[in-house]
Amino acid sequence: MSWISRLAARAPVPVFIAQGESAPDALARLALNPAIHVVDSPRAACILLISGRIPSALADCLNRLHDQLPHPRATVLWQSHAMEPFSNAVEVDASDDIANALSATFADLLAGDRPSEADILPDAPPNEWRGIGPHGQGGKGMMGGTPYGRPMAKTDDDIRDGLSLDAYTADFGPFLPMFPAGLALTLTLQGDMIQAVTVAHPPFEGDTAARERLLRLLGLSALALRSLHGQKGDGTFRRLVRLSRARAAIPADLGRLPDGSDVRSRFDAMVTGLQTAPASDTDMTLGDLLVGLEWHEALLVINSLDNATLRGVCARMDAPPDSTNDATHADHDMHAEHMG
Amino acid sequence: MTTIISIAGILALAVLFVGVLRAAGWSDFAGSATAPQQRPVLGGGDPQTHAWQRFHVRYYTMTLLFVAFEMEMMFMYPWAVVYVAEGGKALAEMGMFLAILSVGILYGWREGIFRWE
């Protein structure tokens, strides 16, 4: 082990968390451990921590996430079930100390005692494109083709002013740190405004980290960490949030529900620790709440809703029967069209 | 002679600096990224289209207004210096220039630049 890897092994372990169903309660408090650095992007992580049960519908998403970690990388399964591609991952039970396991895996990885995990997905673009078409761009025409294996965006009317510009459609989640765990949305964006939304996977039941995510989104990561201590009636915490003027940073009248609450009032309730009754008797869909909002507003709305309400709102939207398959078919259809 | 030496010295330093940066970058990212690593980070999700796209630059009307007024002022200062000497000819030229610029401002007006939102 060279001196530089010994030095690197003493740094906090960069961990990206993929949270599954019924993950251990201690997961939320992992960020409080000084030996662990919970990162927001798999590109900054060294260890992928899979915690809880991952539904089989999300297995593909997990494989994509795993491959985005830079080398050297390792996977740790914490109170999770064994999955096919992660056969040589480190398994941690409820009785083991997760922080020790993560540090030990990190040190082994840097020392070279543990080989870096190979890609799960094949090293091929989503569609074949090289050398096809008059300029090798994968199709014909200025706007045709599939550069890097992805079809070009099609034009769509902007709902604000009807300008016909390119709409970007992508699946966001289910392991996005700024989304509730498990929530996967297919969003169509015009610039950063949400034009259409479909629920690809609803959030898992029993998510309680909404307050922490909301504070983090508002740029108050130190207060977000403090909120994890979870002491009821922490007067200093409430005063610090008030002094930060975070409430004024939330646009007024955002994400109003039929019960009269908006993001500001729900944020107040979260900070003071009041348990408001879930407003799950609304007949609003996620489309009613999010369409027309810009990305930052939409994230505030999503994270201001409690788990029961958000699950109710997501359930009212008819999810596509099998979104991943549909997406691949669409890819091929568009591809064929450009080829034709 | 000293000028040539100092220019050569600065060039050598620049080449050395770039060389060190390139070497550091090469050692950090040995090998090209595989196709799964080139995916955008969407928390496990996948984009359906390429991210190369046209979107609306929403500040363009403000830019138009800024350019119209700024160009006006830029031309007016030297014009004011020669106006007394040139007389009526300079006045006519400035009139033509302002007429063209005001078309841009009128267009902006129609587009609603002056509406406060």
Side-chain angles (χ1 to χ4, degrees):
Chain A
M1 195 175 188
S2 73
W3 64 273
I4 198 158
S5 41
R6 200 172 303 137
L7 200 65
R10 276 163 54 186
V13 187
V15 175
F16 187 84
I17 298 175
Q19 189 179 344
E21 242 171 344
S22 55
D25 292 337
L27 182 71
R29 288 191 300 281
L30 198 64
L32 290 172
N33 193 322
I36 310 291
H37 182 209
V38 178
V39 294
D40 288 337
S41 158
R43 297 297 302 170
C46 198
I47 291 181
L48 176 65
L49 176 62
I50 303 171
S51 175
R53 204 183 64 79
I54 305 289
S56 55
L58 302 182
D60 285 344
C61 302
L62 197 60
N63 295 347
R64 281 198 283 267
L65 191 70
H66 171 270
D67 286 359
Q68 283 177 333
L69 267 77
H71 293 285
R73 62 188 172 200
T75 310
V76 173
L77 297 169
W78 186 22
Q79 299 189 37
S80 189
H81 57 116
M83 278 167 285
E84 171 47 35
F86 304 105
S87 47
N88 52 1
V90 180
E91 292 192 35
V92 180
D93 296 331
S95 54
D96 300 336
D97 183 23
I98 182 68
N100 282 346
L102 288 172
S103 301
T105 313
F106 185 52
D108 284 354
L109 205 57
L110 291 179
D113 297 339
R114 187 184 176 78
S116 179
E117 290 171 10
D119 279 354
I120 297 170
L121 300 171
D123 183 12
N127 287 305
E128 200 46 59
W129 66 283
R130 276 180 204 283
I132 300 171
H135 307 290
Q137 87 276 33
K140 52 183 180 181
M142 268 288 273
M143 294 310 296
T146 50
Y148 299 93
R150 293 192 194 283
M152 297 294 285
K154 287 194 170 170
T155 52
D156 194 7
D157 290 348
D158 193 315
I159 56 174
R160 284 169 292 192
D161 49 17
L163 266 182
S164 195
L165 293 170
D166 295 341
Y168 180 69
T169 306
D171 296 336
F172 293 79
F175 306 114
L176 211 55
M178 52 282 232
F179 272 13
L183 178 65
L185 299 176
T186 307
L187 297 175
T188 301
L189 297 158
Q190 284 274 6
D192 62 352
M193 191 208 63
I194 292 173
Q195 180 112 342
V197 53
T198 327
V199 179
H201 193 272
F204 299 132
E205 212 165 349
D207 168 69
T208 51
R211 178 170 67 171
E212 188 219 346
R213 277 195 308 270
L214 202 52
L215 284 167
R216 219 178 271 283
L217 281 172
L218 289 164
L220 303 170
S221 36
L223 286 178
L225 279 183
R226 193 189 177 101
S227 77
L228 290 177
H229 288 294
Q231 295 152 343
K232 286 276 174 223
D234 184 352
T236 321
F237 169 71
R238 284 204 296 273
R239 203 172 64 247
L240 286 172
V241 172
R242 204 172 57 240
L243 281 175
S244 74
R245 315 296 295 167
R247 190 182 192 278
I250 303 172
D253 229 21
L254 183 66
R256 197 173 280 286
L257 289 178
D259 67 354
S261 70
D262 64 349
V263 175
R264 269 189 186 176
S265 67
R266 291 194 288 270
F267 175 69
D268 287 344
M270 272 183 200
V271 168
T272 49
L274 290 175
Q275 284 300 315
T276 46
S280 30
D281 54 337
T282 66
D283 55 354
M284 288 185 105
T285 65
L286 206 56
D288 298 337
L289 279 170
L290 299 188
V291 169
L293 295 187
E294 294 193 354
W295 173 253
H296 71 282
E297 296 172 324
L299 283 184
L300 290 177
V301 169
I302 290 173
N303 285 304
S304 73
L305 298 171
D306 59 276
N307 187 251
T309 312
L310 186 59
R311 279 176 64 85
V313 166
C314 288
R316 256 183 299 284
M317 181 155 276
D318 22 307
D322 195 351
S323 60
T324 46
N325 278 350
D326 280 0
T328 27
H329 285 315
D331 264 7
H332 289 309
D333 290 350
M334 287 176 88
H335 192 231
E337 189 181 299
H338 293 311
M339 295 294 104
Chain B
M1 190 60 203
T2 46
T3 322
I4 293 173
I5 290 174
S6 50
I7 287 176
I10 288 169
L11 268 178
L13 273 180
V15 167
L16 188 73
F17 185 66
V18 170
V20 168
L21 278 185
R22 295 295 292 239
W26 178 80
S27 71
D28 201 16
F29 304 103
S32 57
T34 57
Q37 294 219 322
Q38 287 172 11
R39 259 174 228 277
V41 173
L42 293 170
D46 207 21
Q48 292 175 11
T49 58
H50 198 281
W52 190 15
Q53 56 187 300
R54 297 163 296 174
F55 62 92
H56 190 179
V57 184
R58 294 206 164 258
Y59 57 81
Y60 90 98
T61 46
M62 288 311 292
T63 320
L64 184 78
L65 196 67
F66 172 75
V67 169
F69 280 109
E70 193 216 29
M71 280 299 132
E72 200 172 297
M73 288 321 293
M74 240 165 94
F75 190 40
M76 250 178 200
Y77 279 110
W79 173 81
V81 175
V82 297
Y83 171 60
V84 178
E86 293 289 325
K89 195 178 139 215
L91 189 67
E93 277 178 354
M94 181 48 83
M96 279 153 64
F97 181 65
L98 286 187
I100 295 168
L101 272 187
S102 57
V103 173
I105 294 168
L106 284 176
Y107 168 76
W109 196 347
R110 197 195 71 169
E111 292 291 299
I113 307 181
F114 301 108
R115 249 199 331 262
W116 184 262
E117 280 176 26

